[in-house]
Amino acid sequence: REQAPTRDIDEDINQKFINGADQIIQGQAREPNNIKMKFAIMETEAWFLGLHEIFERLDSRLTTDFINQELGINLMDIDPETTIFHPANVVEAIYNLVGNSYDKKRGDIEAIASLLTKKDYEALLARDKCSSFNIFHETIFIPT
């Protein structure tokens, strides 16, 4: 927050954070090559916003058109990692549109994640957004 007082997303700050974590691993771990750190840039909720279809599964009223009309955020056109400084706040605002609450607790995150399918993850991979998800996926994907 001190480095981004205007609450603008700065790729240099993100990279500095990632590089710092990597330096700590390289300098302190016994087997640093066995540790793979991946970061959800701007929170895991950015990935959820990139998977905009899940909101309509939570409540049929939460279409991308409705969200855009009420919040002025077109989830189909934006990259949440590069345009939304605090994605959890946007997820909360989306929930509030239909009288629900979201407060970033484990149960809230699991409720969203439980709605996701393999096709959803594949769709996010194919979109030109949430590049940190692609990096994460490359690390854990085991071809069958």
Side-chain angles (χ1 to χ4, degrees):
R1 290 181 184 195
E2 292 171 7
Q3 293 183 21
T6 61
R7 299 178 65 89
D8 292 323
I9 296 170
D10 185 329
E11 181 57 34
D12 291 335
I13 293 172
N14 291 342
Q15 196 58 51
K16 189 181 199 182
F17 181 81
I18 292 168
N19 292 345
D22 187 52
Q23 287 175 351
I24 291 169
I25 291 168
Q26 295 301 319
Q28 296 181 16
R30 282 184 247 171
E31 297 183 39
N33 294 332
N34 291 335
I35 298 173
K36 307 289 184 221
M37 292 288 286
K38 302 301 172 199
F39 297 88
I41 303 300
M42 303 317 296
E43 308 174 295
T44 304
E45 285 83 0
W47 296 351
F48 294 155
L49 294 169
L51 292 159
H52 50 79
E53 301 90 341
I54 61 172
F55 297 107
E56 197 167 350
R57 288 185 211 148
L58 287 165
D59 187 299
S60 62
R61 297 172 287 177
L62 292 175
T63 64
T64 53
D65 288 339
F66 179 68
I67 292 167
N68 189 23
Q69 176 185 341
E70 296 297 314
L71 301 178
I73 301 170
N74 189 336
L75 295 177
M76 296 190 60
D77 290 344
I78 65 163
D79 181 347
E81 283 187 347
T82 61
T83 59
I84 300 175
F85 189 78
H86 201 341
N89 289 348
V90 174
V91 172
E92 179 182 13
I94 291 170
Y95 269 58
N96 289 339
L97 292 174
V98 292
N100 293 332
S101 64
Y102 178 87
D103 54 13
K104 199 176 171 88
K105 291 187 177 167
R106 181 178 174 173
D108 292 339
I109 294 168
E110 288 175 351
I112 294 175
S114 71
L115 298 173
L116 298 173
T117 67
K118 181 180 178 184
K119 286 185 180 187
D120 293 320
Y121 292 116
E122 290 169 346
L124 185 55
L125 287 168
R127 293 178 180 152
D128 189 26
K129 55 178 74 178
C130 298
S131 63
S132 72
F133 176 77
N134 292 8
I135 295 166
F136 172 72
H137 180 269
E138 289 169 8
T139 302
I140 64 168
F141 179 71
I142 301 170
T144 55

